[in-house]
Amino acid sequence: DPSAWKAIYQNKAFIRPSQWRGKPPGVQADSLISASVEDHVRFRKVLAPAFSEKAVNLYEPIVGKYVDDLIESLGREIESDGGETVVDIVRWLNFATFDIISDLGWGESFQCLEKQDYHPWITVILQFQALMVAAALSYYPFLERLVSYITPKSALAGLNLVLSTSETNVKSRLRRKTDRADIMSYIMQHNTSSPETGISEAEMITNSMALIVAGSETLTAALTGTINNLLSHPKQMERLVEELRSSFASES
């Protein structure tokens, strides 16, 4: 129903259950996920310019570089076995999307495509099942206390890695003087021009973590589904190939 658009996407209250506003152990600052209504509005005002049409157009050379790297890497992978190689496309797409969003978000790539492997930060952040379980347990305070009591400290090692890496990357980007447009450049511009509505360094760290995940795993899932459907429907695949190759004279 058309009225759903307003109810879902223009809901100013944006109130979520308290159980889903929890933060990981050791994290004090809110992100877009855990923020109150007031903070959520403030975060969105700071971040909105980074996702405008103008900003996205400026990101194109960065995105294009990693797309080229992905295509070249896949080409080498296929040619290495006479074209009979089975390619794990999920893994390769994950490499590309994480490289793109880490470069746009922090100004530094995870170099997954170059190293053909996941960065340790990624292997930890992909384990979202634990976050879902934690949120579900928060509906049952007794169980939540019990689980937190019996959970060994070693289980938090991955979380500490995520937090420390995120903090290091944000601090590094803040120190770097560059005219290149990325998500952090728009945050820094807002903090300079409107410090009274800006976000703190701690909030930059937590929000950048959310953006890295939102801009990588979701896109990987969408692209993987698209490729799977194309491979399952040869006629549509042929039509797409024909449209692309008749519309563009070169790969560039």
Side-chain angles (χ1 to χ4, degrees), residues 80-144:
S80 66
D81 195 24
E84 298 298 322
T85 305
V86 175
V87 175
D88 183 351
I89 198 66
V90 180
R91 181 178 172 87
W92 281 101
L93 288 173
N94 244 332
F95 291 166
T97 56
F98 271 114
D99 277 355
I100 291 169
I101 194 61
S102 60
D103 200 337
L104 289 176
W106 286 326
E108 291 185 33
S109 165
F110 279 128
Q111 298 181 313
C112 298
L113 283 170
E114 181 182 332
K115 298 177 180 177
Q116 298 186 22
D117 199 7
Y118 288 112
H119 185 280
W121 193 94
I122 300 170
T123 60
V124 175
I125 211 70
L126 290 178
Q127 305 305 313
F128 268 99
Q129 293 94 331
L131 296 179
M132 296 299 100
V133 171
L137 283 174
S138 64
Y139 283 88
Y140 308 95
F142 173 75
L143 279 176
E144 185 180 29

Side-chain angles (χ1 to χ4, degrees), residues 41-247:
V41 170
R42 177 168 57 89
F43 292 160
R44 287 188 62 171
K45 284 183 178 178
V46 174
L47 291 166
F51 296 93
S52 65
E53 185 176 355
K54 177 184 176 182
V56 171
N57 285 334
L58 292 174
Y59 302 156
E60 186 174 351
I62 299 172
V63 176
K65 171 187 177 298
Y66 292 106
V67 173
D68 288 344
D69 290 347
L70 171 64
I71 298 301
E72 289 177 13
S73 298
L74 287 173
R76 286 195 299 270
E77 189 87 352
I78 293 166
E79 291 167 6
S80 66
D81 195 24
E84 298 298 322
T85 305
V86 175
V87 175
D88 183 351
I89 198 66
V90 180
R91 181 178 172 87
W92 281 101
L93 288 173
N94 244 332
F95 291 166
T97 56
F98 271 114
D99 277 355
I100 291 169
I101 194 61
S102 60
D103 200 337
L104 289 176
W106 286 326
E108 291 185 33
S109 165
F110 279 128
Q111 298 181 313
C112 298
L113 283 170
E114 181 182 332
K115 298 177 180 177
Q116 298 186 22
D117 199 7
Y118 288 112
H119 185 280
W121 193 94
I122 300 170
T123 60
V124 175
I125 211 70
L126 290 178
Q127 305 305 313
F128 268 99
Q129 293 94 331
L131 296 179
M132 296 299 100
V133 171
L137 283 174
S138 64
Y139 283 88
Y140 308 95
F142 173 75
L143 279 176
E144 185 180 29
R145 287 194 296 271
L146 176 63
V147 170
S148 64
Y149 178 75
I150 64 175
T151 300
K153 291 184 178 180
S154 59
L156 299 177
L159 174 62
N160 292 332
L161 171 65
V162 169
L163 293 173
S164 62
T165 303
S166 304
E167 181 178 359
T168 298
N169 287 343
V170 167
K171 288 180 180 293
S172 174
R173 178 61 185 85
L174 290 174
R175 288 194 300 268
R176 197 178 311 122
K177 304 299 182 184
T178 175
D179 294 330
R180 194 191 77 156
D182 56 30
I183 295 172
M184 282 293 292
S185 71
Y186 286 96
I187 295 175
M188 293 161 70
Q189 286 174 22
H190 182 99
N191 279 1
T192 300
S193 62
S194 306
E196 67 282 356
T197 59
I199 62 177
S200 67
E201 185 176 292
E203 290 169 338
M204 290 182 204
I205 294 168
T206 55
N207 278 297
S208 69
M209 289 163 55
L211 291 173
I212 297 297
V213 177
S216 54
E217 191 65 12
T218 54
L219 185 56
T220 295
L223 289 171
T224 302
T226 301
I227 291 171
N228 180 64
N229 277 314
L230 286 169
L231 293 174
S232 304
H233 297 78
K235 286 186 178 180
Q236 283 76 8
M237 179 71 156
E238 289 174 13
R239 178 179 172 185
L240 175 61
V241 171
E242 173 61 27
E243 286 188 9
L244 286 171
R245 294 182 180 173
S246 63
S247 299

